Amino acid sequence: MKFPIFPNDNAAPIECSFFVGGTWGVTDRFFQVYSPSKGKVIANVAAADADVAHQAVEKASSTFEVWRRTTPYLRSELLKAWHAAMLEHIEGLALTISMEMGKPIQEARGEVRYAASFIELYAREVLRTAGDVIPSHAGDKRLASWHQPVGPVYAITPWNFPAAMITRKLAPALGAGCTAIVKPAEQSPLTALYLAWLWEKVGGPAGTLQVITTNDPVAVSKVMFDDARIRKLTFTGSTEVGKALYRQSANTLKRVSLELGGHAPFIIFEDADLDAAVAEVISCKFRNAGQTCVCTNRIYVHRSIANQFADKLGHAVSDLKVGDPLSEDTRIGPLVDAQGRDKALAHIKDAIGKGASVVAGGKALDGLFVQPTVLIGVTEEMLIMSEETFGPVAPLIVFDCESEVVRKANASPYGLAAYLWTRDLTRAYLVAEALDYGMIGINDGAPSTAQAPFGGVKDSGLGREGGPWGLQEYMDVKFVSTKLTRTELFNEEP
Ligand code: NAD
């Protein structure tokens, strides 16, 4: 396999292998990757099956015995080189992301930087994986805890951040001394292969990182779930699939991290800076055409400012340029596939049918494009209030008081991110404390950053990625108790 071989608008589809056992594997079975903006095939990607999955487990397992004994310093150096290589390849990676899942090119560059920031962070963090010396209860015992890698890891990732969702897992896993097998989403496997190629190029040893591309995730994953040598599942994707994989992980009692769906409330109080709130709603809701787990799906606006806010947001949203994700000035690209587009349109139709009004947008465009949309007069019984839309639709709901809005914001099975907008510090603290969410943005619509804990509560998942928390997900704590044969330093008189 040769990179950079980005998909090209005008060229024939490229052919890609999977990366198993340190080689770019050959097969006669392929699946197709489409450009959501052009609607044409851009790549034929090797389709791994259960046999390939078995090979990957063998290699991950044998390599782990060597890799776990390397020093954190060596692993840190490799991570630094991988980070540098990603930044050297920022244009190629951004183009690949943009082509395979439709993210506007400027945002795709931002994703590459964000993805690389996890590698940079863990190159430093792995040097701080010291254990503890524990106070002893007995004069003849010395107690300690050591942190050791959990073992081979299976990582399943979604299509909406094809670089960042991989590095957020792999940087701490590889840094901790685990080996990893990644199964990227079938819509966007090319970025994963590109990242593996860069890891290989900077000297990442064969078998430390493997990428299994497949359009049969169930068969491939079954091999991983049945094999006790895979010690950890890390999954980012929908809540429904996450719960099913959690159950399957029980067979071999794997450690599990789940980063799942969200339904973020965004609360705008009457004392908020409205222009700032509009700008942050735009970036929070309309980034990646609304296809992010932390994007707001419910915007609660205080009654006294609701019309003014709707007007400002409507104008700002109407200015967002929809179009070819490869154009520098595009802000809204296509949705990833017909299913995604149809869900967003169904939410708009259902809301209008139940009495909501359109402030901006509201219509389907050609292909997989949907107008960025603002709806007002949204009420609890509308679909958009309970399902993750994953599209460029901003529903506004009017509220009257703090207790009402906190109760409504918490009335969701999800608990990933929540946002609130106010100039009153006391209110900000009290409301943030009362919200049942893993992440809170106070006057901040984009809080996520590599060094902070990312993750949710309730149906939004288990565990945290980012910072020292993200590294601990890949380490077991071993308790070591040493009994001494004597307690005095000198056992004989001089
Ligand atoms: P998805 O659950 O459909 O797929 C995610 C991954 O799981 C893909 O790689 C897919 O091939 C694989 N998969 C699906 N069914 C499987 C099965 N039965 N066995 C094994 N693997 C299986 O989700 P998606 O549509 O790719 O991504 C969108 C979802 O991801 C949204 O719900 C979004 O909120 C969530 N997400 C969460 C986070 C987070 O950090 N919490 C980040 C990004 C996306």
Side-chain angles (χ1 to χ4, degrees):
M1 181 93 145
K2 290 227 175 352
F3 272 101
I5 50 158
F6 343 111
N8 179 325
D9 251 1
N10 306 313
I14 58 170
E15 202 160 280
C16 298
S17 325
F18 39 70
F19 185 56
V20 169
T23 53
W24 295 92
V26 206
T27 172
D28 52 4
R29 290 177 307 280
F30 290 89
F31 64 98
Q32 297 180 319
V33 174
Y34 288 83
S35 149
S37 62
K38 303 284 189 281
K40 65 173 200 172
V41 178
I42 55 168
N44 292 306
V45 180
D49 57 13
D51 288 343
V52 176
H54 279 295
Q55 290 165 32
V57 176
E58 282 299 328
K59 186 68 181 175
S61 172
S62 58
T63 307
F64 175 64
E65 294 309 323
V66 182
W67 184 241
R68 68 188 298 180
R69 292 189 174 82
T70 57
T71 66
Y73 284 87
L74 179 142
R75 300 195 294 267
S76 172
E77 288 305 315
L78 275 170
L79 289 177
K80 281 186 212 159
W82 198 26
H83 170 252
M86 268 189 83
L87 294 183
E88 267 169 41
H89 282 257
I90 189 165
E91 282 306 315
L93 283 162
L95 189 59
T96 305
I97 293 171
S98 197
M99 289 283 295
E100 68 177 343
M101 52 70 66
K103 184 169 293 183
I105 189 75
Q106 293 219 29
E107 278 187 37
R109 289 187 197 109
E111 181 185 340
V112 178
R113 283 188 215 98
Y114 176 62
S117 74
F118 286 95
I119 304 179
E120 190 205 14
L121 177 91
Y122 286 109
R124 288 183 274 117
E125 204 65 48
V126 297
L127 302 179
R128 290 196 281 265
T129 52
D132 299 299
V133 173
I134 302 165
S136 180
H137 57 292
D140 63 347
K141 285 195 179 193
R142 299 295 180 265
L143 312 179
S145 69
W146 298 352
H147 293 182
Q148 296 195 314
V150 294
V153 171
Y154 182 42
I156 304 182
T157 54
W159 51 265
N160 64 341
F161 284 86
M165 296 304 98
I166 289 181
T167 57
R168 203 160 77 175
K169 299 178 185 312
L170 293 195
L174 293 168
C178 300
T179 51
I181 302 169
V182 184
K183 195 215 72 60
E186 40 278 54
Q187 295 94 332
S188 61
L190 307 179
T191 307
L193 293 169
Y194 202 144
L195 291 173
W197 178 75
L198 292 176
W199 176 249
E200 182 191 36
K201 193 165 124 69
V202 300
T208 47
L209 162 55
Q210 304 180 81
V211 178
I212 293 204
T213 51
T214 185
N215 57 346
D216 189 358
V218 176
V220 163
S221 301
K222 184 172 184 322
V223 173
M224 310 290 165
F225 288 115
D226 288 349
D227 199 314
R229 290 174 296 176
I230 298 292
R231 294 309 318 136
K232 161 106 190 173
L233 166 73
T234 173
F235 171 79
T236 298
S238 62
T239 296
E240 185 191 359
V241 173
K243 285 183 178 177
L245 303 185
Y246 193 21
R247 283 189 284 270
Q248 290 181 59
S249 302
N251 295 338
T252 48
L253 217 64
K254 299 187 195 311
R255 277 186 64 179
V256 175
S257 300
L258 303 172
E259 295 286 351
L260 308 178
H263 203 271
F266 197 115
I267 305 170
I268 302 161
F269 288 100
E270 63 277 21
D271 62 346
D273 175 338
L274 288 197
D275 291 323
V278 165
E280 297 279 332
V281 166
I282 296 276
S283 91
C284 178
K285 173 75 246 185
F286 293 97
R287 192 163 52 102
N288 205 19
Q291 302 169 112
T292 74
C293 53
V294 289
C295 76
T296 173
N297 223 59
R298 293 173 285 155
I299 304 170
Y300 293 98
V301 195
H302 191 268
R303 188 175 302 280
S304 62
I305 52 158
N307 288 338
Q308 197 190 352
F309 182 79
D311 199 42
K312 282 176 183 277
L313 184 64
H315 276 103
V317 167
S318 304
D319 286 345
L320 295 174
K321 183 165 177 278
V322 183
D324 182 352
L326 296 182
S327 296
E328 292 292 335
D329 58 350
T330 292
R331 292 293 305 277
I332 306 280
L335 296 187
V336 73
D337 54 25
Q339 202 187 341
R341 175 202 57 198
D342 294 348
K343 186 172 189 193
L345 292 173
H347 280 190
I348 296 171
K349 191 172 169 206
D350 171 80
I352 294 171
K354 290 175 181 160
S357 312
V358 175
V359 179
K363 295 203 170 58
L365 298 167
D366 285 348
L368 297 176
F369 292 86
V370 172
Q371 282 184 327
T373 298
V374 179
L375 300 171
I376 195 162
V378 172
T379 52
E380 300 297 329
E381 62 281 2
M382 297 175 188
L383 274 183
I384 200 165
M385 293 298 286
S386 54
E387 291 180 6
E388 196 180 20
T389 307
F390 240 53
V393 188
L396 304 186
I397 310 105
V398 173
F399 74 93
D400 291 296
C401 69
E402 278 173 4
S403 60
E404 172 203 0
V405 77
V406 168
R407 183 172 37 78
K408 286 182 172 168
N410 282 341
S412 164
Y414 294 107
L416 191 58
Y419 309 88
L420 62 106
W421 229 262
T422 177
R423 288 183 168 111
D424 177 343
L425 185 62
T426 300
R427 166 184 271 166
Y429 264 89
L430 294 178
V431 172
E433 283 168 12
L435 287 169
D436 295 333
Y437 288 81
M439 295 174 279
I440 308 284
I442 300 175
N443 296 342
D444 183 0
S448 152
T449 178
Q451 71 276 22
F454 189 105
V457 298
K458 304 197 297 189
D459 269 6
S460 290
L462 297 174
R464 293 292 179 271
E465 293 186 327
W469 306 272
L471 191 57
Q472 289 310 319
E473 300 280 338
Y474 298 94
M475 303 200 99
D476 280 328
V477 180
K478 181 180 275 181
F479 169 51
V480 182
S481 173
T482 307
K483 188 159 186 177
L484 310 181
T485 53
R486 56 190 164 85
T487 55
E488 300 300 323
L489 179 56
F490 304 109
N491 62 0
E492 54 192 47
E493 288 300 316

